[in-house]
Amino acid sequence: MASLDSLPVLDLSRLSAGPQEAAAFRDELRDAMHEVGFLYLAGHGIPQELTDAMLEVSRRFFELPEDVKLAVENIHSPQFRGYTRVGGELTDGSVDWREQIDIGVEHEAVAAGEGVADYWRLEGPNLWPEGLPEMRAVVSEWTERLSTISLELLRALALSLGAPEDTFDAAFASRAFPMLKIVRYPGESSPDPVQGVGSHRDGGVLTLLLVEPEKGGLQVEYQGAWIDAPQVPGTFVVNIGEMLELATNGYLKATLHRVISPLRGTDRMSLPFFFNPALDATMPQLAVSPEFQSKARGLSVDPTNSPILETYGDNALRYRLRAHPNVAAVQHPDLLAG
């Protein structure tokens, strides 16, 4: 692929359109994630009513009074869940101009102790806002449906690389650790661009992103240039995270991307969904066919020169500590010592 003006578009419904069409989809999925690491996914089967409900409840959350949002601020959560006020997160060492709420899979919190890995501190409950009871049900359905799509994509990728279809099932099918961010970018560009989110690679496995209609700002790095990736109606933006790059020795590409803040007087709603394995899971090395393995590039290094860690929980905890030093200082001062 010599040049690229926009991300490729793939239709997930082709997987159920007969063996020939399914095989062609898998090949195109593999090639897009090898060359670009990003694509638009159509034909995913998410009802428009659910998408509309997610965007509506998300906007209603940000319209809540400030004290209601701050009651679920992430400094109250050892799991780094809950609300982050504007300027409360760092990416690539700089402040991100956005507010958000982080919501994950809910389990009982794990007590720290001898022999208990630090990453188990990320297990626990979400912080749900008062006065918006419908948020939990809509988000739960959204997370369940996107998890199903994500696992379908992982199985298709495994097959496309010559590996068994169920390669990822042990780490994902029943023990996945998905995270959803509901994000609002208040406009700060005027028109000189201001960082919404700094340049980074996603640290997990697979990301499905929904952006509200007619909004742009996402940019994807390709061969040293930034490609605009505006919202395309009826699609998700899908990209590979570092753990999937690790599983394929760099054949699949975790790509740098960033978000430019909207123009002043506007804002932008964004719902990135991160499909990740169990915290204690190590990514299986795919038994990739020799024809693809010969083109594997080895692992890229993230902008902070941090190596990709094999156990997902170690990666996830490192990212949280780096992105939310204020939460780390309140909830996990022992991890910051030394």
Side-chain angles (χ1 to χ4, degrees), residues 5-7 37-40 98 185 194 196-200 202 207-212 214-221 225-232 235-239 255-262 268-272:
D5 296 322
S6 64
L7 303 182
F38 269 79
L39 55 83
Y40 291 113
R98 61 180 179 176
Y185 294 91
V194 171
V197 175
S199 172
H200 67 286
D202 291 346
T207 303
L208 275 63
L209 169 68
L210 178 75
V211 177
E212 69 175 329
E214 300 178 13
K215 296 295 175 77
L218 175 64
Q219 295 183 327
V220 175
E221 192 274 334
W226 291 102
I227 301 167
D228 288 320
Q231 193 269 351
V232 171
T235 72
F236 288 94
V237 176
V238 180
N239 66 280
T255 300
L256 283 171
H257 53 288
R258 65 187 184 186
V259 176
I260 303 302
S261 179
R268 173 184 184 267
M269 298 292 301
S270 175
L271 280 65

Side-chain angles (χ1 to χ4, degrees), residues 31-50:
D31 292 347
M33 291 311 191
H34 171 67
E35 292 285 347
V36 186
F38 269 79
L39 55 83
Y40 291 113
L41 187 71
H44 44 70
I46 299 291
Q48 188 61 45
E49 298 77 25
L50 179 57

Side-chain angles (χ1 to χ4, degrees), residues 144-268:
E144 188 175 323
R145 284 180 175 266
L146 266 61
S147 294
T148 298
I149 292 170
S150 300
L151 187 59
E152 196 171 3
L153 288 171
L154 287 180
R155 288 170 171 165
L157 278 169
L159 277 176
S160 76
L161 291 164
E165 183 177 29
D166 63 357
T167 297
F168 296 108
D169 281 22
F172 287 91
S174 62
R175 301 169 57 230
F177 193 78
M179 290 294 297
L180 173 69
K181 284 182 184 287
I182 299 175
V183 186
R184 175 181 169 269
Y185 294 91
E188 279 299 308
S189 300
S190 63
D192 293 336
V194 171
Q195 172 173 312
V197 175
S199 172
H200 67 286
R201 296 182 178 91
D202 291 346
V205 175
L206 204 61
T207 303
L208 275 63
L209 169 68
L210 178 75
V211 177
E212 69 175 329
E214 300 178 13
K215 296 295 175 77
L218 175 64
Q219 295 183 327
V220 175
E221 192 274 334
Y222 181 74
Q223 294 187 354
W226 291 102
I227 301 167
D228 288 320
Q231 193 269 351
V232 171
T235 72
F236 288 94
V237 176
V238 180
N239 66 280
I240 291 297
E242 291 177 329
M243 296 294 283
L244 201 48
E245 182 174 305
L246 178 70
T248 60
N249 192 32
Y251 183 82
L252 299 180
K253 181 180 175 61
T255 300
L256 283 171
H257 53 288
R258 65 187 184 186
V259 176
I260 303 302
S261 179
L263 291 173
R264 287 187 180 170
T266 69
D267 66 1
R268 173 184 184 267

Side-chain angles (χ1 to χ4, degrees), residues 110-120:
V110 177
E114 188 70 29
V116 178
D118 289 337
Y119 56 69
W120 287 117

Side-chain angles (χ1 to χ4, degrees), residues 8-222:
V9 181
L10 273 72
D11 188 327
L12 184 63
S13 66
R14 293 165 63 198
L15 274 180
S16 53
Q20 189 171 349
E21 206 44 40
F25 172 86
R26 289 192 294 265
D27 288 348
E28 290 175 30
L29 175 66
R30 177 198 63 227
D31 292 347
M33 291 311 191
H34 171 67
E35 292 285 347
V36 186
F38 269 79
L39 55 83
Y40 291 113
L41 187 71
H44 44 70
I46 299 291
Q48 188 61 45
E49 298 77 25
L50 179 57
T51 298
D52 293 343
M54 267 300 303
L55 288 169
E56 181 195 22
V57 80
S58 299
R59 189 162 285 283
R60 286 173 61 200
F61 169 76
F62 292 115
E63 292 170 351
L64 290 171
E66 192 74 4
D67 63 324
V68 176
K69 291 187 290 186
L70 292 177
V72 293
E73 191 173 15
N74 60 1
I75 59 170
H76 304 303
S77 169
Q79 292 78 33
F80 297 82
R81 312 280 179 91
Y83 176 67
T84 304
R85 64 182 80 190
V86 174
E89 184 171 19
L90 305 177
T91 301
D92 198 17
S94 298
V95 172
D96 295 328
W97 202 256
R98 61 180 179 176
E99 59 176 333
Q100 65 190 40
I101 182 169
D102 284 76
I103 302 169
V105 62
E106 295 198 279
H107 295 298
E108 289 292 320
V110 177
E114 188 70 29
V116 178
D118 289 337
Y119 56 69
W120 287 117
R121 302 183 192 199
L122 299 177
E123 287 259 275
N126 293 312
L127 300 182
W128 297 100
E130 292 285 336
L132 202 56
E134 60 271 38
M135 188 176 196
R136 186 191 290 246
V138 175
V139 166
S140 296
E141 183 178 357
W142 186 257
T143 296
E144 188 175 323
R145 284 180 175 266
L146 266 61
S147 294
T148 298
I149 292 170
S150 300
L151 187 59
E152 196 171 3
L153 288 171
L154 287 180
R155 288 170 171 165
L157 278 169
L159 277 176
S160 76
L161 291 164
E165 183 177 29
D166 63 357
T167 297
F168 296 108
D169 281 22
F172 287 91
S174 62
R175 301 169 57 230
F177 193 78
M179 290 294 297
L180 173 69
K181 284 182 184 287
I182 299 175
V183 186
R184 175 181 169 269
Y185 294 91
E188 279 299 308
S189 300
S190 63
D192 293 336
V194 171
Q195 172 173 312
V197 175
S199 172
H200 67 286
R201 296 182 178 91
D202 291 346
V205 175
L206 204 61
T207 303
L208 275 63
L209 169 68
L210 178 75
V211 177
E212 69 175 329
E214 300 178 13
K215 296 295 175 77
L218 175 64
Q219 295 183 327
V220 175
E221 192 274 334
Y222 181 74

